[in-house]
Amino acid sequence: YEVGNTENTINFIKYLISKNKDSQIVIIWDGAKYHISKELKEYLGKINEGKEQEDWLVKCIKLAPNAPEQNPIEDVWLQGKEILRKYWNMCKTFKIVKWLFEWAIKEHIFSFPKLSMYASFS
């Protein structure tokens, strides 16, 4: 998506639902205004309507504000930066830096122990 906004957030959730028809979806995110907008709350209310919270199709958990030590994405950035530090001598241009960073985070499966602070996952 070109920008982060309510419309694209709702479209992304619809995409997740289409790819996970038989599963509940848990989204853990920051406090961006479009993550807590009236329109998004109405959409989530509509798709979860009539269900108990433990049966919601989509459950959203907000990360603690101003707590990067609890945010799993910080681990992704850190690991990407560690790869750059390891191979800095090969990075002659910004294009190479960008490629290496993107490769590092796209080709890695991350484990996020921090997520256990928000929910238990099987």
Side-chain angles (χ1 to χ4, degrees):
Y1 297 95
E2 297 266 333
V3 297
N5 61 28
T6 298
E7 180 183 358
N8 287 338
T9 300
I10 291 172
N11 288 336
F12 181 65
I13 292 171
K14 287 178 180 177
Y15 168 79
L16 291 175
I17 292 169
S18 75
K19 296 295 183 186
N20 299 283
K21 292 184 189 296
D22 299 323
S23 302
Q24 289 179 301
I25 298 168
V26 176
I27 301 173
I28 300 174
W29 54 22
D30 61 18
K33 290 184 192 241
Y34 51 87
H35 290 162
I36 56 174
S37 71
K38 177 183 174 192
E39 295 87 358
L40 180 64
K41 288 178 183 177
E42 288 172 356
Y43 172 72
L44 292 172
K46 192 184 310 180
I47 64 173
N48 291 322
E49 188 172 11
K51 296 181 173 104
E52 296 294 324
Q53 187 172 355
E54 62 269 5
D55 297 325
W56 283 357
L57 179 61
V58 177
K59 182 177 183 179
C60 299
I61 300 171
K62 219 170 102 181
L63 290 167
N66 305 312
E69 68 281 356
Q70 294 180 10
N71 189 339
I73 197 64
E74 298 297 333
D75 295 338
V76 173
W77 304 140
L78 178 61
Q79 290 182 36
K81 290 187 287 186
E82 285 174 354
I83 293 291
L84 289 177
R85 287 183 193 111
K86 185 174 182 178
Y87 297 104
W88 67 270
N89 58 331
M90 296 171 38
C91 298
K92 304 296 184 203
T93 66
F94 182 73
K95 185 176 181 179
I96 295 170
V97 171
K98 182 179 173 188
W99 177 89
L100 183 58
F101 184 80
E102 288 176 350
W103 174 84
I105 62 174
K106 286 180 182 176
E107 299 300 321
H108 187 82
I109 296 174
F110 296 92
S111 173
F112 299 112
K114 293 175 184 178
L115 291 181
S116 64
M117 291 187 283
Y118 297 95
S120 60
F121 301 94
S122 53

